[in-house]
Amino acid sequence: MMKSIKFQVPAKERMCKGAVVIIECPEEIACDPCGSICKHNAISLNSVNSVPEIDFEKCRGCGLCVQFCPGLAIFMAAYNKDKAYVTIPYEYLPIPMKEQIVTVLNRDGTVICKGRVTNIVNREKSIGDTPTVTIEVPEEFAMDARDIMVDRVE
Amino acid sequence: MKVNGIANVRTCITQARQDMVVNTQKGLPHPKNIHRAVKEPLALTSDIVVIGGGPAGLKAAIAAAGSGADVMVIDENYMLGGQLVKQTHKFFGSTDYYAGTRGTEIARLLIGSLRQNKNIRVMLNSVVVGFENDNIIQVNAEHGERFITIQYKKVIVACGAGESMLKVTNNDFPGVYSAGAVQTLVNVYGANIGKNVIIIGAGNVGLILAYHLLQAGTNIAGVVEVMPQISGYYVHAAKIKRHGVPIYTSHSLCNIEGTDRVEKATIAQFAQDASPIPGTEKTFDVDTVALAVGLQPNYRLCYQAGCKFKYVAGLSGYVPIRNKYMQTTKADIYIAGDCSGVEEATTAMMEGEITGIKAASDVKYSSAGSLERMEFLIEQIQEFRHTERSKKIREGIAQVIR
């Protein structure tokens, strides 16, 4: 089911310039927080039921929509050299620490690689009560890395 | 169970108190002991009575009291909030209407504004048992220790929905729960329900339950859905899939096994005629089976009151005929939330607010702008139901609206 669904994906050149949003919300549901939180008018919705439309050139990669989205359906990706940096909303405990190596999963929950945590927005700092975690992964995984598993330290 | 001599008490939702005497009830209660347990009956009056303190009822009470009416809210639980208190995830909807806010936080906000209003009285641990003539309801109040009658001018019934059961062998075993019970135990009481859970039903309730359990650190063997596709939202399914939870569509639960509690659950692929396909069985070692197989509107109170009803599949069961203000065929009885058709919390809150304003205005109370607000909400709720997904709700409502 998930593989057949197409999302609006930014061009690679845009992702090379810095973080940009990827919204994986393909279904009409009554929900509009992403459009209301964006300060740069990069996300627009015709009505509360519309699927969000993104203007990738306007997106500054601030990450507010990633923190605010109730469906945890917004991610960010950026390329730098041979690495990709993917930001994911993450509401599990423990929250990993910066520099920690975590297991990276794709949309089907399959382990695809290891990732290094490069940034954390914790719950207190998050505008939407949801922490976000940015991981560095090999560039080929930018469009697949969508979740992480953090080993629990006993 | 018997609590302080009162029989038929639902101990699962009764808060423990000092010196409480709890006994296992065997058979029917003996009437000769009842008079010793109960207190003097009481007769009260209120402009508006709201039955149920969930999202719809809370909004209704706040709106009615805000218009100046004297309001009484009755709930069977020991706290207000209904199902909101166990919804730890963030809600969808419009930013003007709590979108992005966790259900638990919405409950806190609503209860906070309700408590500030001096026009609202709250009666907890109390069950409305029925309607009498002359606008009177009967209440089994104070854990059933006191019988109270309340004379009202208008009543708003916001008593929600009940969870459906699945007919399968050993579904009475310890370890078989409804989704709502699991959420109460895990999210409200902070109790661990088990180590390995299988969830039956991939509607939003089942998918959200899986997410809550992942957050609680519970292993989920799978989410099982009899339909060929996931019926809940894509984004709810995506969250649990990417965290490694398998979703088995076109599958259902065949069997629960164990000596005296759940030890194994067997699922199988189901054919279009709803029969299991031999050879497709999968057995999981689980200690918990969580059933998220649908909800049915709680219709009994309105039915007993004499409201006209219709069975509407799109609204998940028997629901009262109503007008656009959610007024039933009994002019003094209004409905709001899931008891008027199973939907979700945002539309329940909107319906609550509409009925609160309308009921108050029908007893000649209104505040500045309240009637305009009501008309705005009636339009807003229609916009909310404009999606392809809401089609069955829209069509269902068209069958019962006058």
Side-chain angles (χ1 to χ4, degrees):
Chain A
M1 157 212 159
M2 301 228 175
K3 285 200 180 73
S4 63
I5 289 169
K6 296 270 185 288
F7 307 109
Q8 210 187 333
V9 177
K12 188 161 184 189
E13 299 79 64
R14 172 62 191 82
M15 288 190 273
C16 289
K17 287 188 212 161
V20 61
V21 288
I22 297 162
I23 304 190
E24 304 197 348
C25 181
E27 209 171 48
E28 283 196 344
I29 51 174
C31 190
D32 68 2
C34 55
S36 69
I37 200 76
C38 183
K39 293 184 169 72
H40 311 293
N41 298 316
I43 305 172
S44 47
L45 294 107
N46 291 325
S47 81
V48 70
N49 297 316
S50 308
V51 172
E53 228 174 273
I54 315 152
D55 184 335
F56 294 116
E57 293 312 313
K58 285 185 181 165
C59 173
R60 309 270 183 91
C62 68
L64 291 185
C65 57
V66 185
Q67 299 162 23
F68 198 39
C69 172
L72 275 59
I74 309 186
F75 305 85
M76 288 196 299
Y79 287 112
N80 190 6
K81 296 178 186 139
D82 60 344
K83 300 287 186 198
Y85 296 83
V86 180
T87 302
I88 59 172
Y90 191 76
E91 291 188 336
Y92 301 101
L93 291 174
I95 300 289
M97 296 199 293
K98 231 169 151 171
E99 300 303 326
Q100 192 171 335
I101 304 298
V102 295
T103 301
V104 180
L105 310 171
N106 67 9
R107 291 181 191 86
D108 295 326
T110 307
V111 173
I112 50 170
C113 62
K114 290 283 179 185
R116 181 174 66 92
V117 176
T118 58
N119 194 34
I120 306 272
V121 176
N122 63 29
R123 191 174 172 185
E124 290 69 36
K125 291 247 175 70
S126 168
I127 194 161
D129 202 32
T130 296
T132 67
V133 177
T134 305
I135 47 168
E136 180 191 74
V137 292
E139 65 174 336
E140 63 267 31
F141 295 121
M143 285 303 136
D144 293 316
R146 289 297 177 268
D147 207 347
I148 57 166
M149 287 280 185
V150 180
D151 295 330
R152 279 168 196 263
V153 183
E154 296 300 330
Chain B
M1 301 287 279
K2 220 183 219 183
V3 174
N4 292 346
I6 303 287
N8 303 336
V9 176
R10 290 179 68 194
T11 43
C12 55
I13 57 160
T14 303
Q15 200 173 24
R17 286 171 293 160
Q18 190 86 36
D19 304 322
M20 189 183 245
V21 180
V22 182
N23 303 110
T24 304
Q25 184 181 327
K26 292 202 171 69
L28 297 170
H30 204 294
K32 80 169 185 208
N33 296 322
I34 282 177
H35 72 279
R36 272 193 275 146
V38 296
K39 301 169 186 167
E40 277 296 293
L42 214 57
L44 305 172
T45 61
S46 183
D47 287 334
I48 293 170
V49 171
V50 178
I51 304 172
L58 289 173
K59 271 285 180 190
I62 293 164
S67 298
D70 161 43
V71 179
M72 187 173 271
V73 182
I74 305 169
D75 197 285
E76 67 173 334
N77 220 323
Y78 66 89
M79 59 177 166
L80 290 168
Q83 305 304 304
L84 286 174
V85 300
K86 52 181 103 158
Q87 306 306 337
T88 52
H89 60 283
K90 300 195 284 188
F91 276 39
F92 298 154
S94 147
T95 326
D96 315 328
Y97 227 89
Y98 305 104
T101 310
R102 297 187 192 281
T104 46
E105 177 63 12
I106 299 173
R108 207 183 58 81
L109 292 168
L110 292 178
I111 294 165
S113 56
L114 181 134
R115 294 283 183 196
Q116 274 176 8
N117 198 312
K118 298 277 180 288
N119 291 345
I120 305 175
R121 283 174 287 173
V122 176
M123 195 185 282
L124 296 173
N125 305 305
S126 302
V127 180
V128 175
V129 288
F131 286 82
E132 289 178 24
N133 285 329
D134 308 317
N135 285 20
I136 289 170
I137 52 163
Q138 299 179 345
V139 188
N140 249 347
E142 300 173 24
H143 303 278
E145 288 172 20
R146 194 189 291 274
F147 181 75
I148 296 179
T149 56
I150 309 170
Q151 184 156 43
Y152 60 85
K153 291 182 180 138
K154 305 285 174 188
V155 63
I156 298 167
V157 182
C159 58
E163 294 183 273
S164 305
M165 193 64 186
L166 195 66
K167 286 181 202 124
V168 62
T169 315
N170 295 330
N171 69 1
D172 59 340
F173 263 2
V176 180
Y177 297 88
S178 70
V182 174
Q183 288 178 316
T184 301
L185 286 162
V186 175
N187 296 345
V188 183
Y189 302 159
N192 190 358
I193 47 141
K195 287 196 171 72
N196 288 302
V197 181
I198 192 160
I199 296 171
I200 313 302
N204 281 332
V205 173
L207 297 174
I208 289 168
L209 175 68
Y211 185 59
H212 291 169
L213 287 174
L214 284 176
Q215 290 179 306
T218 309
N219 183 55
I220 300 169
V223 178
V224 183
E225 169 61 54
V226 71
M227 302 297 283
Q229 70 286 325
I230 295 163
S231 55
Y233 290 159
Y234 172 91
V235 292
H236 284 318
K239 269 193 308 195
I240 64 164
K241 275 191 96 162
R242 67 180 186 246
H243 217 63
V245 175
I247 302 177
Y248 299 97
T249 50
S250 300
H251 278 71
S252 194
L253 182 65
C254 309
N255 194 17
I256 297 167
E257 285 170 71
T259 42
D260 52 6
R261 58 158 297 122
V262 177
E263 287 167 17
K264 286 180 196 304
T266 300
I267 66 166
Q269 202 176 330
F270 272 55
Q272 295 239 308
D273 67 353
S275 63
I277 302 171
T280 62
E281 295 85 0
K282 290 183 190 71
T283 300
F284 298 92
D285 289 327
V286 291
D287 51 24
T288 307
V289 176
L291 300 174
V293 291
L295 297 155
Q296 297 165 325
N298 284 328
Y299 61 88
R300 292 192 183 114
L301 272 179
C302 287
Y303 194 82
Q304 187 262 335
C307 300
K308 283 210 174 100
F309 267 78
K310 194 173 168 118
Y311 181 86
V312 183
L315 300 178
S316 304
Y318 285 98
V319 291
I321 305 284
R322 80 293 300 265
N323 64 19
K324 69 170 178 173
Y325 303 108
M326 304 302 286
Q327 194 170 16
T328 67
T329 50
K330 290 274 178 188
D332 293 333
I333 302 176
Y334 304 73
I335 45 170
D338 274 0
C339 70
S340 70
V342 173
E343 208 173 349
E344 42 78 54
T346 305
T347 47
M349 287 189 276
M350 289 174 162
E351 284 174 350
E353 202 174 338
I354 292 165
T355 54
I357 296 169
K358 179 64 176 159
S361 114
D362 288 349
V363 274
K364 310 282 179 259
Y365 292 105
S366 66
S367 62
S370 65
L371 296 177
E372 291 78 6
R373 167 90 182 151
M374 176 177 73
E375 296 298 339
F376 165 76
L377 284 169
I378 290 169
E379 275 175 37
Q380 182 96 350
I381 206 167
Q382 275 169 340
E383 195 186 327
F384 257 73
R385 291 175 178 145
H386 212 71
T387 61
E388 186 55 33
R389 294 201 69 106
S390 305
K391 199 172 162 211
K392 70 180 183 94
I393 302 282
R394 277 202 310 275
E395 289 175 354
I397 290 169
Q399 291 182 50
V400 287
I401 202 138
R402 295 225 165 130

